Structure formats: C-alpha cells, structure tokens
Amino acid sequence: IRSCSLWYDGTNNTMNNSLEMMEKKKHVVVVVLGDIGRSPRMQYHTLSLLEHGHYVTLIGYVGERLIPALEKSTSDDDNTHSSTATATKKYHQNLRVLRMKPHLPSKLNNITGRLFYYPLRLISLMYCLFYTLWIQLQDRTTISIPVDVILVQNPPSVPTLLLVYLYCVWEGLLGRKRPRFVIDWHNLGFTMFESPTQQTSFLRIIILTSIRTIAKSYERILAAMADAHLTVTHAMEVWLGEHFNVHGANVRVLYDKPPMLFRPTTIDEEHELFQRLDLEGENEQLHGWLDHVDEMHEEQTPSEQTLFTKCSLQNSEQIIQPRQNRPALLVSSTSWTPDEDFSVLLEALEKLHTLIMNASKSTPSSFPNILVVVTGKGPQKEYFLPLLHKFNEQHQYIKIITLWLEASDYPKLLGCATLGVCLHTSTSGLDLPMKVLDMFGCQVPVCAIGFDCLDELVKDGVNGRVFCDGEELSRQLFDLLKGYPLEDVKMERYRQNIRGMTRWRENWDECARHLIVGDRNAQDTSL
C-alpha cells in the first residue's frame, strides 16, 4: 500500500498552514446507488471525512438507518445529552443526506415483460440520480460551498459511473471548479450480471454474454475517466491495471477495517442485550434450553437470567457472570442471495449434529448446545425459513434463529459470539467480505468459505478456518467447539492472532485521505 505524500516547506510555514486550513474544508459527495444503510464502507468514508472537518453530502436509496454516529448527527433531537450524541452533534451542519426512491416497474416472468422491465428500471435510476445531482445538490441552503470531490461506490456501475462523470464535466463547462471523480471499487460491476450455465439455451447464452461484454466495455471506458481509484484488495488493484489499464499513484488499496464500535462485548452489555432480545421467550424452539443450563443456588426470577448470562446476589451486590453451561453462539450475517448459499451452512449443521450424536454414544458428551443466529435480509430468506423451522424440530442440540438488529445492536451481538461463519463468495474473486472484518474487530474467529484472494484476510489455521463445502465445515465446527467453554485452546489462539489489528480510522488516514480530498499533509489528523 502506497503511503500518502507529505508537503512541507519550512521557509513558508505560515503560508502553508493557511493553505492547509483552506484545504480542510472540502465538499465531498458520497454516492451509493443502493440503500445507504446497508453500505457500511461508504458510511465509514463519510464519518472519516466529517472527522477531518470536511462537508459531506451522502446520496443513496431510502431504507435502513445509518450507523449510530451518522444517524445521531442528522437528528434534530436536542434532548439527547449522552456523550456519544454530544460527540457526533458537531457534524450536524457538515452532513447532508439525500435519499432517493426510484420507481420499481412490475417485473413479469415472460420475455416481453423482461424486455420492458430493464429499460424502465434503467430510466427510473437515471432520472433519480440526475434529479439528485443536477437539482437537489445545487441547493446551497445546508452546505454553501461547491462540490470538490465525488466518491462513488462501484458496483453498481450502470448508470452511476456515467452520470457522475457527466456531472463533473458539466460543472467544469459552467466555469466552476470541476469536481474530482473517485471510484471506490467494491467489486467489478459487469460480474454482477447473470452469466450463462450449461443448462442455458443457446439464444440466452448469446444474450447474457453480450450483456456482460457490453457492461465490461462500459466499465473499462468509465474507469479511465476517473481521477483516482480505491480498491478493497491488492488482487483487484492488479486486475484493474491488467484489464482496464488503471494503475499508478492514483490507484490505492484501502482494505476494509472495522471501526472502534466493533469490539468484544462486556458481560454487563451481553446480559442487557440478551435480556432485551429475550431469545428464549421469542423463539418457541428455545423454551426448553433454559432448563438445561446450569442451575444457581440463589433464588432468581426469569428476568435475572438469559441463555448465556446469570445475575446473582453476592454480599448484597448483584454480580453478572457467564453461565457455566452456556450454549456456543455461532453468528452468520448473510444477504440471503445465491452468492451466499445458505444451504451450505444448513448441510454443515445437519452433519455436525450427526457427529455430536455419534460421539455421545461412546463417551459422555463434551459438546455444548449450539445456537446459530443468522442476521440480514434478502430475497431467499422466505424460502429458507420453513427449512429452518423443520431443522429445529428434528435436531435437539442445535437451533437456528434469524434476527434483524438495529445498527447499534449488531456489533454487540458479534462481540458475544463464539465463532463466526461467512458464506460470501465473490462474483469476481477480487473482493473480500466486510462481515469478516466486523467479526475480527470483535475478536471473533471465523470459518469462511474459500475463494480467490480470501487469503488476504482469512489465514487458515491462524485467525480462523477456510472450508470448501458443508462437510468440511461440519468437521471444523466439531473440532473447534468440542469442550466449549472449558476447553477453548484453538479458539483462544485465533483470538490472540486477531487482537491488535489496524482499525478503520488509522487505515483511512494512511491510505485514502490524501487520494480523496488531496490534503497535503496526510499525516495531520488533528482538527
């Protein structure tokens, strides 16, 4: 990763400081053609820019709430006096959020319906983005200074890259300062289009191949028009240089890193979280589990205990402790899409239950109950819900539940996890799953399905395990969870290797700040 350049002239120190102060007040537009609330990396960009004193306009779809720091900074509620609210309130005048709601035409399954759907969908997206950039963005009521930089998430590349580039050119033609056009490459846009399989008809193969070819050419042309590029992996940086002729000092790797809100959860926070979530009360399949965990000598009410924690009275003082026979908590965050095949995890858990049953026949079972919490939303969730219910009815020691958490609760849940499971497979083989970074931030080891360039993040046998199918995952889970929580040697070794990792802020300051806003002294982080 290239270090940011320094700019310093001791003979003109006063003038340089004055110029530096002027540079610190840039107006950066962050564009996401999708739900902003489900794009954490672009929100982290936004927060880092705000922390360095810049103005930010965040553009994206309506949908989920922003991360707590940004959500509070956009709130008009002056009755909140918490330290967090006070810390983030200073960004209130520097942040503007523009939410789009593109029209979704009815999608028909016949060929005629599809022919009409995609053009109408494209027109709707173009209109929304055009209106936002050319009309709403021109309103200087909130942020009076003109746009200096547009940072755009890719994918989707259609029509985002084209319209953002045209906007930058338009501003230049009007005699105003032409904004810099910066692309943040999360993946390759053309790989998101459907690719033909062996079962695909000949005509459909021609159509799908043509679409991908056109999309790739479009993306290559627009990539050359950008002023700078950030990539999520070294492999993607190399690929862009070889195939899109994008290379040099204006291309840098910015690895995803967890912000400080992802950390191990304290026992008090864990107790409060699980009391509030009330997993055993909200999920019928867990009703019997509370009776099987270790019993306490003190009289307790149900509100004083959860599946994982207990609150006892010792010397007239309430003490919260982890349960001795608490379940192992596996967490998997999924988008419920085909590129995160949940059936792999389901198969692994079925085989794991069989391994546990066979082991318990010969020796007393040293396995805990295993609670698998799956977070996220997506198109395949409804399909899998009946399968999960059937699984829970047939398996005594392993239960699966689904949750959708507030942005502030998700890091807390990860911080309670015993182990994470990642099912993300890349369409390009060049991007990495941010959910793994979130888990590492909470010092949670991960079992991740393997694909090209995953070794830039997950080191097999060092900070987690890498598997290729459900059977291999079941063996890894059997090996890692046996004897939990008393015997935890391998997991603790993985946790030690995760501790001390670089966080988002330091990484962004070193690798992205100068590229995005052109601060001449990229090492100065005090504002």
Side-chain angles (χ1 to χ4, degrees):
I1 300 174
R2 301 175 182 83
S3 61
C4 300
S5 60
L6 300 176
W7 182 79
Y8 179 77
D9 183 355
T11 60
N12 295 293
N13 193 35
T14 304
M15 183 180 294
N16 293 346
N17 288 339
S18 177
L19 289 172
E20 213 175 301
M21 288 303 296
M22 290 175 64
E23 284 184 327
K24 286 176 181 176
K25 290 293 184 181
K26 296 287 181 65
H27 180 189
V28 182
V29 177
V30 179
V31 179
V32 180
L33 200 66
D35 183 355
I36 309 173
R38 299 180 71 177
S39 184
R41 179 177 167 103
M42 303 309 283
Q43 294 183 72
Y44 299 158
H45 276 303
T46 300
L47 186 57
S48 293
L49 289 163
L50 292 170
E51 287 174 344
H52 286 284
H54 298 292
Y55 296 100
V56 182
T57 299
L58 182 57
I59 297 174
Y61 291 176
V62 297
E64 302 301 331
R65 299 179 66 179
L66 303 178
I67 58 175
L70 295 182
E71 191 69 34
K72 286 170 182 165
S73 70
T74 60
S75 172
D76 292 321
D77 184 8
D78 293 324
N79 296 323
T80 305
H81 300 290
S82 68
S83 58
T84 305
T86 304
T88 57
K89 203 68 177 176
K90 63 182 179 182
Y91 307 139
H92 184 74
Q93 298 301 321
N94 286 21
L95 174 63
R96 174 171 54 168
V97 180
L98 300 178
R99 297 264 196 169
M100 304 180 292
K101 190 174 183 180
H103 173 68
L104 287 175
S106 300
K107 189 173 182 179
L108 303 176
N109 292 326
N110 56 53
I111 296 178
T112 305
R114 290 176 182 173
L115 288 175
F116 280 103
Y117 173 81
Y118 292 108
L120 290 174
R121 174 69 170 156
L122 179 60
I123 291 171
S124 174
L125 293 176
M126 292 182 69
Y127 170 78
C128 276
L129 193 52
F130 180 90
Y131 180 81
T132 304
L133 291 175
W134 270 269
I135 306 299
Q136 289 184 295
L137 192 57
Q138 305 311 309
D139 181 6
R140 308 293 191 204
T141 304
T142 306
I143 300 177
S144 59
I145 66 174
V147 177
D148 295 288
V149 184
I150 299 188
L151 175 64
V152 57
Q153 172 184 303
N154 186 67
S157 55
V158 181
T160 325
L161 298 185
L162 177 60
L163 288 182
V164 169
Y165 171 70
L166 291 177
Y167 175 81
C168 293
V169 172
W170 175 260
E171 288 290 293
L173 291 175
L174 290 180
R176 295 192 284 258
K177 179 181 177 181
R178 182 188 182 279
R180 295 177 66 246
F181 176 26
V182 182
I183 302 176
D184 190 15
W185 294 84
H186 295 201
N187 205 338
L188 299 174
F190 75 90
T191 66
M192 309 301 288
F193 289 94
E194 183 181 355
S195 58
T197 63
Q198 293 182 344
Q199 291 74 34
T200 307
S201 65
F202 178 72
L203 177 60
R204 188 165 174 77
I205 288 176
I206 295 176
I207 295 173
L208 294 178
T209 303
S210 300
I211 291 174
R212 286 174 66 93
T213 301
I214 294 170
K216 183 177 180 179
S217 299
Y218 161 90
E219 201 168 7
R220 181 175 59 248
I221 293 170
L222 269 298
M225 303 297 181
D227 298 292
H229 306 263
L230 292 169
T231 67
V232 292
T233 62
H234 175 68
M236 183 173 289
E237 181 189 32
V238 172
W239 193 98
L240 290 174
E242 293 177 349
H243 295 85
F244 284 2
N245 198 29
V246 170
H247 47 72
N250 66 332
V251 185
R252 289 182 186 163
V253 179
L254 176 67
Y255 284 112
D256 285 321
K257 298 291 181 181
M260 288 306 299
L261 62 100
F262 287 94
R263 57 173 176 75
T265 304
T266 66
I267 188 65
D268 289 351
E269 292 172 329
E270 183 176 349
H271 186 69
E272 186 276 332
L273 175 67
F274 286 123
Q275 273 195 314
R276 183 157 42 83
L277 293 178
D278 190 22
L279 300 181
E280 58 273 23
E282 294 292 330
N283 297 272
E284 183 180 349
Q285 301 93 338
L286 302 179
H287 285 177
W289 272 26
L290 199 58
D291 299 330
H292 296 296
V293 295
D294 57 304
E295 297 296 330
M296 299 176 55
H297 297 295
E298 294 85 8
E299 287 292 325
Q300 292 188 331
T301 62
S303 63
E304 293 176 317
Q305 57 185 338
T306 72
L307 283 174
F308 300 92
T309 59
K310 60 185 180 181
C311 181
S312 58
L313 200 62
Q314 297 181 11
N315 299 325
S316 302
E317 184 180 356
Q318 284 191 331
I319 304 295
I320 299 175
Q321 298 172 311
R323 282 190 172 278
Q324 192 172 10
N325 295 333
R326 62 189 177 277
L329 177 61
L330 269 62
V331 176
S332 180
S333 177
T334 177
S335 58
W336 298 98
T337 54
D339 64 341
E340 294 189 19
D341 188 359
F342 190 78
S343 63
V344 174
L345 179 57
L346 206 56
E347 176 193 354
L349 295 175
E350 289 175 346
K351 293 181 181 298
L352 174 62
H353 196 272
T354 301
L355 291 173
I356 294 172
M357 294 292 288
N358 291 339
S360 63
K361 291 178 182 178
S362 55
T363 58
S365 177
S366 59
F367 269 85
N369 287 337
I370 301 171
L371 177 62
V372 182
V373 176
V374 185
T375 67
K377 292 180 179 179
Q380 293 190 338
K381 183 176 181 179
E382 293 304 316
Y383 168 79
F384 277 103
L385 286 179
L387 299 180
L388 302 188
H389 184 76
K390 182 179 179 181
F391 177 94
N392 289 336
E393 289 180 337
Q394 296 176 346
H395 299 83
Q396 178 181 353
Y397 302 112
I398 304 175
K399 303 296 181 184
I400 310 172
I401 63 173
T402 60
L403 288 177
W404 178 254
L405 299 166
E406 291 291 332
S408 57
D409 283 339
Y410 177 63
K412 293 179 182 178
L413 179 71
L414 289 187
C416 301
T418 310
L419 184 66
V421 177
C422 177
L423 303 172
H424 172 88
T425 55
S426 172
T427 57
S428 64
L430 300 173
D431 70 311
L432 295 171
M434 180 175 275
K435 63 197 72 178
V436 172
L437 269 305
D438 296 340
M439 294 172 183
F440 282 174
C442 296
Q443 298 179 19
V444 176
V446 175
C447 291
I449 193 165
F451 61 89
D452 292 343
C453 92
L454 181 66
D455 59 352
E456 292 189 38
L457 177 59
V458 181
K459 312 292 185 183
D460 192 28
V462 177
N463 54 14
R465 297 302 312 271
V466 178
F467 61 91
C468 63
D469 54 29
E471 183 172 354
E472 186 174 14
L473 175 58
S474 68
R475 294 196 300 268
Q476 292 176 358
L477 295 176
F478 184 84
D479 179 55
L480 293 172
L481 298 178
K482 186 177 182 179
Y484 177 85
L486 300 178
E487 299 176 18
D488 199 20
V489 178
K490 288 184 179 179
M491 300 272 276
E492 181 56 32
R493 187 174 72 246
Y494 295 163
R495 283 191 285 268
Q496 288 177 356
N497 293 332
I498 293 169
R499 292 185 184 116
M501 70 182 304
T502 305
R503 294 289 177 157
W504 171 267
R505 180 172 182 175
E506 306 94 85
N507 190 48
W508 189 90
D509 284 346
E510 180 182 352
C511 306
R513 177 183 173 187
H514 179 62
L515 194 73
I516 296 174
V517 294
D519 282 354
R520 301 197 181 200
N521 187 350
Q523 302 302 319
D524 176 19
T525 59
S526 61
L527 287 176

